Amino acid sequence: MTKPKRQRREFGAIRKLPSGRFQAHYIGPDAAKHYAPKTFAAKVDAEAWLTDRRREIDKKLWNPIDADRAESPMFEPYADEWLQTRLVRGRPLKIRTRDHYRQLLDLHILPAFRAKRLDQITPADVRKWHDNLLPDAPTMRAHAYSLLRTIMMTAYNSELIVANPCRVEGAGSARRRSRTVPASVDELAVIVENMTPRYRLMVSLAAWCALRFGELIEIRRRDVMLEYETGDDGERQLVAGYVAVSRGAVRDAEKNAYIAQDSAKSDAGSRTVHIPPHVLDAVEHHLQEHTGPNRDALLFPAPEGGYLTPTTLYNHFHPARDAAKRPDLRFHDLRHTGAVLAAATGATLAELQQRLGHSTVSAAMRYQHAAQGRDRKIAEALSLLVKPDTPQE
């Protein structure tokens, strides 16, 4: 027995939202799209609303003034469509960004605004919502507010509202409650020594090359290049090496798994990072002892294969950092450590920006500021340029 063919709706359209509610809209006699002033718990209610609008049009009772009132979409379907179609520099959102926005919407924004039309959201509504939003999580609070403001700005630019109601001054930024304290060179040595052998190099590259976790777990044998020279004694010597960073792995919340993405975090994230000479022997050893022979072999796979997860890494990293007496140190702080160490060498902003894969100079400036304690040593080094018998004014 064949299934009956699904009949296409002759008037209007209905779609089910991620929340489970239903949104209805139709094209009016004015050739404009008109949304229902609310979403519906049941599809049959959405169908009834469309039937009423069709009856009004057929009987020439349709009122364009009432239609204009309903033109501003409900916040929930508009935000859902915004998230699905959002482009950044002409490209869809990265998976991690999309998942982060989805979480902010579902947990912190939709509960307050899903039942309102865009044009019903007032500055007072936004301010009241923000006053009670995540008081103990200032960074997440700033992210949620920034997302709401961006969505409403898109609505304003599309002429769906007459003004953006998000006007809480300074709400889109948050001051960090605590500053990251980078690891010292000695602390790094202790952490590396106390890591399980197959992940020792991961700590070294995170710190000395300032690589992100997602970049590290996607590095493959083909991405690491080592350069050798033949000495006078005929022996090959390892003299240089670099890592080509052009991809990353991110966790896809919908699939509940890490997946590869074709590009790094941003265009600037695709870069070549040279490995400090004192780490080269460890790289060579790791390639020989802990990396498969295939060019696509991951440098730091999970024990069972595939992408290494943070949880598995933390099982080894946390005891190692405790051995260094740095229980406050997060794995991501190793990248911060590497950035500060690079700045301490006197690297320029442009050089830091390139090495770290930052798309803006302002991001690299944070690490230059952290290294400004070197100014006294710089001043002392300048004096060494002056000959003792040179008269000073």
Side-chain angles (χ1 to χ4, degrees):
M1 182 176 179
T2 59
K3 293 183 178 180
K5 291 185 178 180
R6 186 177 180 181
Q7 293 185 346
R8 184 172 181 175
R9 179 175 300 283
E10 295 182 357
F11 178 77
I14 298 173
R15 78 169 166 148
K16 190 174 184 179
L17 302 174
S19 64
R21 296 181 67 84
F22 294 86
Q23 176 202 24
H25 73 267
Y26 66 96
I27 304 299
D30 57 354
K33 183 183 290 187
H34 298 277
Y35 290 88
K38 63 178 182 179
T39 56
F40 303 93
K43 185 176 181 180
V44 65
D45 296 328
E47 291 173 339
W49 183 84
L50 285 174
T51 299
D52 290 341
R53 303 293 79 74
R54 178 63 182 269
R55 186 178 295 113
E56 290 173 354
I57 293 172
D58 290 343
K59 294 183 178 181
K60 302 191 182 304
L61 298 175
W62 185 78
N63 188 334
I65 297 178
D66 292 337
D68 288 342
R69 276 189 200 137
E71 180 138 8
S72 181
M74 298 296 293
F75 178 82
E76 182 180 16
Y78 182 81
D80 178 52
E81 185 173 356
W82 180 93
L83 186 57
Q84 293 179 22
T85 60
R86 177 68 170 173
L87 299 177
V88 177
R89 299 184 185 92
R91 298 180 181 179
L93 293 174
K94 296 287 187 181
I95 294 173
R96 187 175 179 181
T97 303
R98 182 202 66 198
D99 290 345
H100 180 52
Y101 287 174
R102 183 77 262 170
Q103 183 184 44
L104 290 174
L105 278 171
D106 292 344
L107 297 181
H108 307 300
I109 301 178
L110 288 179
F113 299 111
R114 67 160 34 103
K116 289 180 175 288
R117 293 200 316 261
L118 293 176
D119 60 359
Q120 291 177 324
I121 300 174
T122 67
D125 292 332
V126 174
R127 189 173 296 277
K128 180 179 179 181
W129 165 75
H130 182 263
D131 286 345
N132 298 290
L133 177 68
L134 297 167
D136 297 324
T139 300
M140 192 69 73
R141 183 188 195 196
H143 288 181
Y145 176 83
S146 294
L147 177 58
L148 176 63
R149 181 179 59 191
T150 303
I151 292 172
M152 298 306 290
M153 182 55 69
T154 302
Y156 170 72
N157 292 335
S158 301
E159 299 183 355
L160 296 175
I161 55 177
V162 297
N164 190 335
C166 299
R167 306 174 194 174
V168 182
E169 187 174 352
S173 59
R175 292 183 178 180
R176 297 188 65 169
R177 290 188 172 183
S178 60
R179 296 180 61 184
T180 299
V181 178
S184 68
V185 173
D186 290 340
E187 288 169 345
L188 281 177
V190 173
I191 293 172
V192 171
E193 181 64 26
N194 283 273
M195 287 292 291
T196 185
R198 66 178 178 272
Y199 297 137
R200 283 177 182 168
L201 181 65
M202 190 173 183
V203 171
S204 294
L205 293 182
W208 292 106
C209 293
L211 299 183
R212 302 176 176 96
F213 175 82
E215 295 169 340
L216 287 162
I217 64 174
E218 172 53 24
I219 292 177
R220 300 173 186 269
R221 176 179 282 274
R222 70 174 186 268
D223 300 317
V224 181
M225 296 297 296
L226 299 179
E227 298 178 4
Y228 295 85
E229 289 182 357
T230 302
D232 296 336
D233 57 0
E235 295 290 332
R236 282 206 323 162
Q237 296 179 343
L238 179 57
V239 295
Y242 64 84
V243 179
V245 181
S246 60
R247 304 174 310 281
V250 294
R251 184 179 179 278
D252 188 330
E254 293 181 357
K255 298 180 179 180
N256 193 28
Y258 273 84
I259 65 171
Q261 56 183 15
D262 294 335
S263 61
K265 187 176 180 182
S266 64
D267 290 339
S270 296
R271 63 202 188 278
T272 297
V273 182
H274 285 81
I275 303 168
H278 72 280
V279 183
L280 290 176
D281 287 342
V283 174
E284 184 180 50
H285 176 78
H286 186 90
L287 291 174
Q288 292 173 352
E289 301 295 330
H290 303 293
T291 308
N294 192 292
R295 293 182 71 251
D296 287 330
L298 294 169
L299 258 67
F300 309 110
E304 67 279 6
Y307 289 123
L308 179 68
T309 65
T311 301
T312 300
L313 176 64
Y314 295 160
N315 289 336
H316 304 284
F317 178 70
H318 286 173
R321 72 178 186 182
D322 290 343
K325 299 181 180 179
R326 285 300 308 273
D328 60 305
L329 196 71
R330 302 166 300 176
F331 186 81
H332 185 72
D333 294 339
L334 296 177
R335 172 171 160 82
H336 179 94
T337 296
V340 173
L341 290 173
T345 67
T348 67
L349 282 175
E351 290 166 342
L352 283 175
Q353 185 179 350
Q354 166 64 26
R355 186 169 180 81
L356 299 174
H358 282 151
S359 56
T360 62
V361 172
S362 61
M365 285 180 66
R366 295 197 302 266
Y367 305 112
Q368 267 208 341
H369 291 162
Q372 282 181 352
R374 290 184 68 254
D375 193 55
R376 179 176 176 178
K377 292 184 178 181
I378 292 173
E380 293 172 351
L382 287 172
S383 291
L384 296 178
L385 300 176
V386 182
K387 294 180 181 179
D389 58 348
T390 302
Q392 302 296 309
E393 297 182 358

